[in-house]
Amino acid sequence: MTEQDREVAIQTVKDILHVLHEKRYEDLSSCVDEMEWDDIEEIRECIQGTLDMKGFDAFDEYGVPCNFHPRYECHHEVEFYERPDGFDAEYVLTSGGEMLDLRLRLNFLYLKDGLKRIFHTIFLRL
C-alpha cells in the first residue's frame, strides 16, 4: 500500500464519519464508489439504535479527542489489512469521545486507474 493509497483511505473514512455525524445516511454512497451494504434504512436503524441504546446523540467526526479508559490510541486510528488485490480499512466508531461497539469496514481494490472505494459494513466489535 502506498502513502497515497493510505491518504485516500483516511479521507474516505473522514468523509463517511462526517456524513454519519450529521445523520445524513442517504449520502453515504457519495463517499465511496460502491455500497456493498446499501440498505440505507437498515444502516440507519443499526446506527441510530446503537447510539440510542448507549445514550449518545451522534457519532464523532474523525480526529475528535478520545476519552478511552484506559487510553487505547490504536482504536482511534484507521487500521489497515492488506490483501493481494487491495486492502481493508477499519475504524472504531466513537461518540462523545467514548468508544462504541461498532466498527466501520471499508474495502479498497487496486485498479489500473486508482483505488475502488467500497463501503462494506458497520459491524459489532467483539
Side-chain angles (χ1 to χ4, degrees):
M1 171 185 354
T2 67
E3 188 59 34
Q4 183 179 6
D5 293 340
R6 181 182 289 278
E7 288 174 14
V8 167
I10 291 172
Q11 185 60 53
T12 303
V13 169
K14 288 178 180 180
D15 294 345
I16 289 171
L17 291 176
H18 180 71
V19 166
L20 292 177
H21 177 74
E22 294 192 347
K23 300 182 181 185
R24 293 184 293 117
Y25 306 111
E26 64 280 357
D27 292 340
L28 283 171
S29 63
S30 68
C31 301
V32 294
D33 302 308
E34 180 181 319
M35 295 280 295
E36 280 187 7
W37 186 21
D38 61 357
D39 187 333
I40 297 302
E41 193 53 40
E42 186 177 42
I43 293 170
R44 180 189 321 272
E45 288 174 17
C46 171
I47 290 171
Q48 197 58 51
T50 300
L51 287 171
D52 292 345
M53 183 174 63
K54 299 282 187 177
F56 291 109
D57 181 52
F59 287 109
D60 292 333
E61 299 260 7
Y62 186 88
V64 168
C66 61
N67 300 321
F68 309 158
H69 301 286
R71 193 170 186 86
Y72 295 114
E73 286 300 330
C74 64
H75 289 294
H76 208 54
E77 297 175 359
V78 179
E79 297 175 33
F80 296 100
Y81 305 95
E82 293 194 61
R83 302 185 324 262
D85 62 343
F87 59 94
D88 298 330
E90 289 187 6
Y91 186 83
V92 176
L93 298 173
T94 63
S95 182
E98 299 292 331
M99 274 194 306
L100 298 175
D101 295 330
L102 295 175
R103 287 179 79 96
L104 168 67
R105 177 177 285 163
L106 306 173
N107 303 127
F108 294 86
L109 298 177
Y110 296 129
L111 302 176
K112 290 179 184 177
D113 58 347
L115 286 176
K116 181 175 185 178
R117 304 165 301 153
I118 303 168
F119 182 96
H120 180 65
T121 192
I122 294 175
F123 66 98
L124 187 62
R125 183 179 66 86
L126 301 175

